[in-house]
Amino acid sequence: MAVRLIAFDLDNTLLYDADTVSRGNREALDDAAAAHVVTAIASGRVFTSLPAAVLSVPSVVYAITSNGAAIYKLPGADRRFDENGRFDADSCFSNARCIHRISLPENRVRAIMKVLGDYPSDRYPVSFETFIDGRAYSCEDYIRRPERYGLSPAYIEYVRTTRTMVADMRQFILNHADCLDGLDLQIGDPAVRDEIRNRLMTEVPDIYITSSVSNRIEMSNAGAGKAAGIRYLMNILGIKKEETAAFGDADNDIDMIRAAGTGIAMRNGTPACRRAADYVTRNCREDGFAWAVHKKLGIPDRRAEMERYMRAALREAHMAEALDEVPVGCVIVKDGKIIARGYNRRNADRSTLAHAEITAIRRACRSLGDWRLSGCTMYVTLEPCPMCAGAIVQSRIDRVVIGARSDKSGSAGTVVDLLHTDGFDHQAETVFDVLGEECRELLSSYFSGKRK
């Protein structure tokens, strides 16, 4: 059965570090959306600390946060980006909708703090974080002395910029004991961490306890957890367990991996997480998420498809090169088949109109018996000039995949943008830099030879 919902952890699963999404993983998310698959973040992070690198991917629709204690429906692209196309975090956060929340019961919070009263922070390396209404609060000392609490240097800036620092965190927690989404501990001594965890599990029943990294203890409502979060989305979306997949690397991902129809662990994951999974994919830094989306879940890899057709366009460009023409090639694809090809023949034909794109458009029109090329995608090795961009708009081509930009006459956004002009009656989707290096090298080699 085809997958309809993918939930994914962030750190060391989708993300390389605190806020880096690779191009391959980002495109895998877009490929999933193109296949009508719903994608959802599943993180221990509080909502407002989710990284822009993920929230700026329009294909990501939901966010399971605070280990399942709060779930958000993300706004559409028009509410995530400003008029210049830049990601607007404030707009994204303010327009997101919390669709599910379960707080820690006040009596459980006070019971937790009673246990922790035996571990004063001046004597024990114990620091606190808590989450309220999608925002994170942390001890000032956690940032001043991160090594005391086992905080990785790579995450210091992330914590600094996503937390509100509080001087007396213990009192702050008690003052807000009736509204906490979650309560986390950072403990620099493994022996102390194990002792506290064992005491909490014994003395404070009916809470959810997990850990995403070795120095943390993460606590939420007993009804929380990433598994509860993915089940909630299954229920509201009408999706069956066998139609879901979940990705993770840490112990706090295990319940979610088991709850999904297909559980996938990263090779860099903990031994327990790997054992719980149906499959183990490649390492996070090897784009293991993207690899499994395509190879294990069977979602089409649109970049691989685009590269295949761009190679066909490059073959056309080499034909132009053989005629001592500027090496530009083009193919037009409809329903998975190349219906027309063209390459630059301006000098050979002694015609201003003999550009690769114009030739391909003429042949595509003859092939389909219609001037309208709706449903077609053009693959071209060099960004179209104004003449060719105009022909693309007039022929109603849906999408243009481009190898190299043209700094002198590029009319798909580099010099002017004729493919996305509001006043025109048609606009074409554009994708840049598909086999861009090979396309640029071909042109550079041709012009270098001319200068000798």
Side-chain angles (χ1 to χ4, degrees):
M1 186 174 289
V3 67
R4 295 176 58 202
L5 171 64
I6 295 174
F8 55 89
D9 174 54
L10 293 180
D11 300 291
N12 299 311
T13 297
L14 185 80
L15 299 178
Y16 282 13
D17 51 37
D19 59 1
T20 302
V21 181
S22 71
R23 186 179 78 172
N25 284 346
R26 182 184 179 104
E27 290 179 350
L29 289 169
D30 291 338
D31 290 342
H36 309 291
V37 177
V38 177
T39 56
I41 299 163
S43 176
R45 299 191 191 197
V46 68
F47 182 58
T48 56
S49 70
L50 296 177
V54 182
L55 293 176
S56 62
V57 181
S59 52
V60 177
V61 182
Y62 292 95
I64 301 168
T65 67
S66 302
N67 284 320
I71 302 176
Y72 293 82
K73 174 74 179 291
L74 300 178
D78 60 327
R79 300 293 182 90
R80 295 196 220 181
F81 299 89
D82 63 20
E83 62 274 11
N84 297 312
R86 291 187 294 264
F87 177 67
D88 186 338
D90 290 339
S91 179
C92 178
F93 293 139
S94 62
N95 286 289
R97 184 165 56 92
C98 184
I99 59 174
H100 179 66
R101 170 170 279 125
I102 46 174
S103 300
L104 267 168
E106 181 177 355
N107 65 338
R108 301 295 85 193
V109 174
R110 297 192 182 280
I112 291 168
M113 296 308 293
K114 182 178 179 181
V115 172
L116 294 170
D118 294 337
Y119 301 90
S121 296
D122 59 346
R123 292 172 50 200
Y124 295 90
V126 178
S127 180
F128 298 79
E129 284 188 337
T130 193
F131 312 129
I132 302 171
D133 195 24
R135 299 190 178 277
Y137 300 84
S138 186
C139 296
E140 291 180 350
D141 196 50
Y142 187 41
I143 289 298
R144 283 200 300 262
R145 296 188 293 172
E147 69 287 345
R148 183 172 190 253
Y149 306 103
L151 177 62
S152 167
Y155 283 82
I156 292 175
E157 187 60 25
Y158 159 72
V159 171
R160 189 193 312 276
T161 56
T162 58
R163 268 64 171 165
T164 298
M165 297 302 161
V166 177
D168 187 349
M169 195 64 184
R170 293 175 187 252
Q171 189 59 51
F172 180 85
I173 291 169
L174 291 172
N175 290 345
H176 297 83
D178 61 341
C179 60
L180 303 188
D181 293 339
L183 174 57
D184 291 1
L185 307 177
Q186 296 81 33
I187 304 172
D189 184 329
V192 174
R193 177 204 61 212
D194 292 345
E195 179 181 319
I196 291 176
R197 184 185 180 106
N198 290 336
R199 284 193 60 186
L200 288 169
M201 293 179 71
T202 301
E203 300 176 34
V204 189
D206 301 325
I207 62 171
Y208 174 79
I209 299 180
T210 189
S211 177
S212 57
V213 290
S214 60
N215 70 315
R216 295 178 71 92
I217 297 175
E218 302 166 17
M219 296 166 284
S220 305
N221 186 294
K226 294 183 181 182
I230 195 173
R231 290 191 191 103
Y232 179 86
L233 291 181
M234 289 183 213
N235 182 54
I236 66 170
L237 297 173
I239 293 175
K240 300 175 182 177
K241 175 180 177 177
E242 55 267 33
E243 297 174 316
T244 64
F247 288 77
D249 72 289
D251 290 354
N252 71 328
D253 299 317
I254 291 173
D255 62 344
M256 174 178 71
I257 282 174
R258 288 173 172 162
T262 304
I264 301 174
M266 312 305 292
R267 185 177 296 162
N268 53 277
T270 65
C273 185
R274 295 198 304 271
R275 286 193 300 269
D278 298 300
Y279 301 106
V280 176
T281 186
R282 295 176 178 177
N283 191 286
C284 167
R285 289 187 171 272
E286 297 172 336
D287 281 0
F289 173 81
W291 186 86
V293 163
H294 298 132
K295 301 299 184 182
K296 293 298 183 183
L297 301 183
I299 292 173
D301 184 345
R302 294 187 302 164
R303 176 159 288 272
E305 180 183 74
M306 288 189 291
E307 289 182 352
R308 177 161 57 92
Y309 291 125
M310 187 60 76
R311 291 198 185 281
L314 275 165
R315 288 194 288 273
E316 296 296 310
H318 282 294
M319 294 177 70
E321 183 184 35
L323 295 178
D324 198 28
E325 299 273 4
V326 176
V328 179
C330 176
V331 299
I332 295 177
V333 176
K334 184 177 175 65
D335 298 330
K337 296 181 180 180
I338 296 175
I339 61 170
R341 305 170 187 264
Y343 58 89
N344 185 29
R345 294 180 53 92
R346 189 167 54 177
N347 292 322
D349 291 355
R350 298 180 182 180
S351 171
T352 304
L353 303 179
H355 282 200
E357 299 96 315
I358 300 295
T359 299
I361 287 172
R362 283 175 170 162
R363 291 174 175 172
C365 290
R366 285 200 298 269
S367 174
L368 297 179
D370 196 343
W371 64 267
R372 300 175 186 84
L373 300 182
S374 301
C376 292
T377 297
M378 173 182 284
Y379 294 82
V380 61
T381 59
L382 182 66
E383 184 178 0
C385 70
M387 175 182 71
C388 294
I392 289 166
V393 171
Q394 290 298 318
S395 61
R396 308 296 194 267
I397 288 174
D398 287 357
R399 189 165 69 131
V400 182
V401 180
I402 298 163
R405 288 185 180 271
S406 172
D407 294 333
K408 293 184 177 180
S409 62
S411 299
T414 301
V415 178
V416 294
D417 193 354
L418 300 181
L419 300 186
H420 306 93
T421 299
D422 291 337
F424 291 171
D425 57 3
H426 178 74
Q427 297 184 13
E429 177 190 350
T430 53
V431 179
F432 280 92
D433 203 32
V434 174
L435 297 184
E437 186 172 347
E438 293 183 39
C439 294
R440 287 187 290 272
E441 176 58 31
L442 178 60
L443 289 161
S444 176
S445 177
Y446 172 81
F447 287 114
S448 293
K450 287 295 184 182
R451 287 192 291 268
K452 291 181 180 178

